[in-house]
Amino acid sequence: MSVINIQREPLLMDDMVSGLCLIPDPCNPEIDKSDLSGLLGIWAITPVQTHSCNVEVVDGYRRYFENTDALITFEPDVPIGVKTADCVPILVYAPDRQCVGAIHAGWKGTLGGIVDNVMEVLEERGVDPSCLRVAFGPSISRDVYEVDRTLADRFIQSGFGQYVHYPYGHDKKPHIDLQGVNMERFMRRGVKRENITLHSGCSFGSKKTDGSPKYASHRRSGGAPLRMLTCVMILSKTEKERYARLFNGIG
């Protein structure tokens, strides 16, 4: 495989935490041959995602997680992440307990409440929801995410009707705002709106300055295996300089 250019988009950054999205070039013909699992795995521990609502805590020496769509760690210098290509990647940081999390929320996880499951784990370990910081990565936007009425009705019946839209009239297919539903779940658990950063891009429609696609998109590509990696880690004082080049792109 030829050298692959991977862009870095900061999402959740401060002095002791670094969270970003790693974006392989969707126009590179070489990367359509692989989902880059090996390469992206160098950057972070990622679970075997199955669109579940299962959450695991990364601690000790365990580094492999089957049937899991959210990871949390309280350990410094342990990068964790999720892979997406239209689904919603979410990073969380609890400064009061010095822990971070990475969440993969497709429509199944969004509807099923993976955010609530993450919050339960965090609260059980003493995290104050009002202190939690949340950052969304690039995902398919509500303007593009068209679904059938049956699925839309399930979101409405679950109490998220304000995030079901009919951009072309009620006689046409509805659209769902997946970021909005997950944001709402966080706020209902006590996370402050000002501590939540939504992502303005769209994995399907956002373009670079030259007009080419900016992000990986399962829908746009017709199911190509390319994925983006959204990852986060707590940086210890002793290891901060060592990891700065890898995670922050310094130098």
Side-chain angles (χ1 to χ4, degrees):
M1 182 179 288
S2 60
V3 175
I4 296 174
N5 181 35
I6 297 180
Q7 298 298 316
R8 302 168 186 171
E9 183 176 310
L11 298 175
L12 184 60
M13 315 291 284
D14 75 5
D15 191 49
M16 294 305 297
V17 67
S18 182
L20 71 165
C21 182
L22 302 178
I23 310 160
D25 183 0
C27 295
N28 186 334
E30 289 289 329
I31 58 180
D32 283 336
K33 301 175 183 178
S34 168
D35 67 356
L36 297 178
S37 292
L39 179 60
L40 296 180
I42 295 174
W43 292 75
I45 297 167
T46 59
V48 179
Q49 298 167 198
T50 57
H51 294 277
S52 71
C53 290
N54 298 330
V55 183
E56 293 283 0
V57 176
V58 180
D59 54 17
Y61 293 99
R62 186 182 176 196
R63 296 294 184 264
Y64 183 76
F65 301 90
E66 293 184 336
N67 190 31
T68 300
D69 285 82
L71 295 177
I72 296 169
T73 188
F74 292 77
E75 297 184 1
D77 306 321
V78 177
I80 56 175
V82 291
K83 300 172 186 176
T84 61
D86 282 336
C87 294
V88 183
I90 311 169
L91 301 180
V92 300
Y93 170 48
D96 57 332
R97 289 285 285 114
Q98 282 299 295
C99 70
V100 291
I103 306 168
H104 163 253
W107 73 259
K108 291 182 180 179
T110 299
L111 184 62
I114 191 169
V115 161
D116 292 278
N117 291 351
V118 167
M119 291 301 299
E120 287 178 8
V121 173
L122 294 177
E123 291 178 37
E124 286 173 358
R125 300 218 176 188
V127 169
D128 179 355
S130 67
C131 297
L132 196 70
R133 292 174 53 191
V134 179
F136 287 75
S139 62
I140 195 165
S141 68
R142 78 170 195 181
D143 294 336
V144 177
Y145 191 47
E146 182 182 274
V147 302
D148 61 44
R149 288 182 177 274
T150 300
L151 181 57
D153 286 344
R154 291 177 64 185
F155 276 88
I156 293 170
Q157 293 163 7
S158 297
F160 299 102
Q162 69 268 43
Y163 299 104
V164 177
H165 304 270
Y166 297 84
Y168 307 110
H170 282 263
D171 58 333
K172 304 295 183 181
K173 283 191 173 183
H175 290 211
I176 295 177
D177 181 358
L178 291 179
Q179 283 198 46
V181 175
N182 286 293
M183 176 189 69
E184 183 70 24
R185 285 192 180 277
F186 277 115
M187 292 192 298
R188 291 179 184 180
R189 298 295 299 237
V191 179
K192 296 179 180 179
R193 175 61 184 90
E194 58 265 31
N195 290 346
I196 301 174
T197 303
L198 298 178
H199 197 281
S200 60
C202 174
S203 54
F204 183 97
S206 291
K207 297 185 182 301
K208 302 177 186 176
T209 54
D210 63 3
S212 63
K214 184 175 183 180
Y215 301 114
S217 169
H218 186 268
R219 283 198 174 193
R220 188 190 63 242
S221 66
L226 179 64
R227 297 292 183 269
M228 300 175 286
L229 174 66
T230 302
C231 49
V232 65
M233 71 186 299
I234 299 168
L235 297 171
S236 69
K237 293 180 180 179
T238 56
E239 296 294 322
K240 189 184 302 184
E241 182 176 351
R242 175 182 173 186
Y243 283 106
R245 184 181 300 275
L246 178 65
F247 249 64
N248 298 332
I250 297 174

